[in-house]
Amino acid sequence: MDVVVIGASGRMGRTLISSIAASRGALRLIGAVESEGSPNIGRDAGEIAGIGTIGVAITTDALPLVVHAHGIFDFTTPATSVAVAALAAQARIVHVLGTTGLSLEDEAKITAAARHAVIIRSGNFSLGVNVLTAVTRKVAQALPASFDIEIVEMHHRMKVDAPSGTALMLGAAAAEGRGVDLAAARIPARDGHTGQRPEGGIGFAALRGGSVIGEHSVVFAGQGERLELTHRAEDRSLFSQGALVAALWGRGKKPGLYSMVDVLGLADL
């Protein structure tokens, strides 16, 4: 499967390039793209990823690459992802989308692009996190609303959005399990005199510091008991490995907007 990595010199881009090179031929990197002004334009993508020269130079133009690709990996910014989705739709290829912080308008454009492309979108491509998401939905469905739900996440100090895309994914799963709308049930970060916690709400807390790759906990707090579901990422490559699984799964599928729930067959969990 011939693939292109957008945001090639970013943390996730470099990890993806390394994972693709280690995939034993299952995937082949044919293009690496960075934004205008990047100091890495023209450099070998393998050197940037720390795996040595692989003969793929980083460029700024995705279009001539996409027409020869079967899939594209995109863990960048909302504006870039919307543009990449449009390219994937034109080329009718697989778009593995891991960008977070998309607006409702962005999401509408992604959904429109999925009429012609296989778009696999997730706030987190870790296999373990996606199992956690499915379990969260099931537990929320099983426990009464008297159990308060809190989602706590921690990431490295350089992360710019909060709550994380994964935290919102977990919150959406909890809301789905309870049959409520997350926008209505969501309790944002607390500060000052907040008053009593409303029953049925889904709270979020975002911690930032150091080099933490990612930790997420879903807490179900009842009277006299507490259930905690936790995932800790210890190696960034776990995200890229899940993304590779998604890309290979998506090849040959009908156009549409998919998630890791579809990739892993977790809908019935």
Side-chain angles (χ1 to χ4, degrees):
M1 183 175 185
D2 293 338
V3 295
V4 175
V5 172
I6 307 295
S9 59
R11 291 189 184 196
M12 193 60 191
R14 297 193 305 270
T15 305
L16 281 164
I17 290 167
S18 296
S19 295
I20 292 166
S23 70
R24 297 184 179 182
L27 296 98
R28 180 177 65 162
L29 185 72
I30 64 166
V33 180
E34 259 301 342
S35 57
E36 293 279 359
S38 170
N40 294 315
I41 301 301
R43 294 185 62 186
D44 189 275
E47 292 180 352
I48 295 298
I51 59 173
T53 302
I54 60 174
V56 177
I58 296 177
T59 183
T60 60
D61 190 2
L63 182 57
L65 300 171
V66 168
V67 296
H68 298 292
H70 301 119
I72 190 164
F73 293 97
D74 166 27
F75 290 69
T76 55
T77 65
T80 298
S81 292
V82 168
V84 170
L87 287 177
Q90 291 174 26
R92 285 170 163 70
I93 61 174
V94 178
H95 179 193
V96 177
L97 173 58
T99 301
T100 59
L102 277 68
S103 67
L104 292 177
E105 182 180 357
D106 295 332
E107 291 180 356
K109 292 177 180 177
I110 297 295
T111 300
R115 291 198 292 264
H116 304 289
V118 174
I119 299 182
I120 305 169
R121 181 189 171 197
S122 181
N124 191 312
F125 280 88
S126 155
L127 304 184
V129 159
N130 282 280
V131 172
L132 171 62
T133 302
V135 172
T136 295
R137 181 176 62 250
K138 197 70 174 181
V139 172
Q141 182 180 24
L143 294 176
S146 58
F147 275 76
D148 299 319
I149 300 177
E150 292 285 328
I151 297 172
V152 184
E153 53 103 344
M154 184 170 185
H155 284 83
H156 53 86
R157 62 187 301 273
M158 303 301 291
K159 188 168 178 61
V160 297
D161 59 318
S164 69
T166 303
L168 292 172
M169 184 170 72
L170 292 168
E176 182 182 349
R178 283 196 167 170
V180 299
D181 180 37
L182 178 60
R186 178 176 171 178
I187 303 172
R190 301 175 180 88
D191 185 33
H193 187 74
T194 60
Q196 184 175 329
R197 188 192 197 284
E199 183 175 286
I202 299 174
F204 289 83
L207 312 180
R208 297 288 179 267
S211 58
V212 177
I213 294 175
E215 295 185 5
H216 296 85
S217 292
V218 183
V219 182
F220 295 87
Q223 295 300 313
E225 60 180 329
R226 184 171 72 247
L227 172 63
E228 297 184 11
L229 308 175
T230 299
H231 178 272
R232 295 184 178 90
E234 299 176 350
D235 187 333
R236 192 171 297 279
S237 67
L238 66 90
F239 304 122
S240 63
Q241 292 298 332
L244 266 59
V245 169
L248 291 167
W249 176 89
R251 188 177 182 186
K253 293 292 188 296
K254 294 181 179 179
L257 185 59
Y258 300 94
S259 72
M260 288 299 283
V261 169
D262 301 303
V263 175
L264 299 177
L266 295 172
D268 297 327
L269 182 61

